[in-house]
């Protein structure tokens, strides 16, 4: 198994952990904000996918956004009050799944040598996946805090892998 394939499995594990943090929540809980300058869990879910799309697009393959209307909403450079209304849970789920499929397709092409510069893109792809995995877990920390502290739900156990540990309280690839 190539390193890219191994990291894609860890990316899937990180996304599955995210799903454990939110899939059992009600739609109202997903869009609830602890205060006016705080983002909802749903925003973090869309933002995780938004960043994954833009990193893959900008570093490995130019392609259009799977949902251009979400780009401004999910951009962390946009102040909370200017982001607009969150999409439905179904639309967020579709966006996340579509981006993950694209991550797999593009990184699979890189791992399979089906790109113009396979060695160079393998290095880029490895670092890109590490960043995507750690970014997923970074936002999982906030989702988990709101889930447990504000919404009163139990947290799932940490992902079952030797490759992930905690740094400053955050799950990260070690």
């Amino acid at each position: 198994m190539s390193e890219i394939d191994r990291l894609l499995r860890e990316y899937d594990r990180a996304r599955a952990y995210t799903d454990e943090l939110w899939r059992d929540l009600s739609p109202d809980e997903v869009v609830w904000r602890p205060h006016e300058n705080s983002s909802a869990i749903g925003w973090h879910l869309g933002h995780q996918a938004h960043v994954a799309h833009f990193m893959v697009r900008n570093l490995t393959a130019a392609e259009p956004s799977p949902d251009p209307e979400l780009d401004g909403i999910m951009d962390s450079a946009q102040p909370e009050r200017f982001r607009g209304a969150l999409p439905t849970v179904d639309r967020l789920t579709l966006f996340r799944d579509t981006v993950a499929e694209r991550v797999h397709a593009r990184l699979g092409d890189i791992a399979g040598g089906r790109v113009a510069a396979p060695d160079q893109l393998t290095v880029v792809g490895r670092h890109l996946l590490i960043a995507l995995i750690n970014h997923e877990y970074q936002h999982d920390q906030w989702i988990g805090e709101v889930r447990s502290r504000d919404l009163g739900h139990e947290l799932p156990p940490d992902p079952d892998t030797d490759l992930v540990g905690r740094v400053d309280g955050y799950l990260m690839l070690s």
Side-chain angles (χ1 to χ4, degrees), residues 10-28:
E10 288 303 316
Y11 173 66
D12 291 341
R13 188 183 325 270
R15 290 186 71 251
Y17 181 74
T18 301
D19 285 347
E20 287 184 57
L21 289 169
W22 77 274
R23 290 267 186 183
D24 64 336
L25 301 178
S26 72
D28 287 342

Side-chain angles (χ1 to χ4, degrees), residues 26-169:
S26 72
D28 287 342
E29 289 173 315
V30 171
V31 299
W32 178 79
R33 295 171 33 195
H35 55 79
E36 70 179 28
N37 292 321
S38 180
S39 301
I41 287 172
W43 179 84
H44 288 270
L45 298 171
H47 173 74
Q48 288 165 318
H50 174 76
V51 167
H53 162 70
F54 274 93
M55 287 184 70
V56 169
R57 182 192 86 170
N58 290 334
L59 298 176
T60 69
E63 64 177 25
S65 174
D67 192 335
E69 292 178 11
L70 295 184
D71 291 347
I73 296 170
M74 300 305 168
D75 189 345
S76 59
Q78 182 78 273
E80 175 67 42
R81 66 184 179 275
F82 299 126
R83 288 183 188 156
L86 287 174
T88 65
V89 169
D90 288 341
R91 188 171 174 192
L92 278 172
T93 301
L94 177 62
F95 182 62
R96 287 178 58 80
D97 291 347
T98 301
V99 168
E101 289 168 8
R102 288 181 177 190
V103 168
H104 270 272
R106 183 60 180 162
L107 275 294
D109 285 347
I110 291 169
R114 296 181 297 275
V115 293
D119 293 336
Q120 184 266 349
L121 281 176
T122 296
V123 173
V124 170
R126 182 176 67 243
H127 291 287
L128 180 140
L129 280 167
I130 291 168
L132 291 182
I133 293 162
N134 287 335
H135 182 256
E136 189 82 13
Y137 286 135
Q138 176 188 12
H139 286 271
D140 286 351
Q141 180 68 25
W142 190 93
I143 292 168
E145 288 170 1
V146 170
R147 174 190 173 84
S148 65
R149 181 191 62 222
D150 298 316
L151 299 175
H153 294 281
E154 299 254 344
L155 290 174
D158 286 354
D160 185 19
T161 176
D162 296 340
L163 299 176
V164 173
R166 289 207 175 256
V167 176
D168 294 331

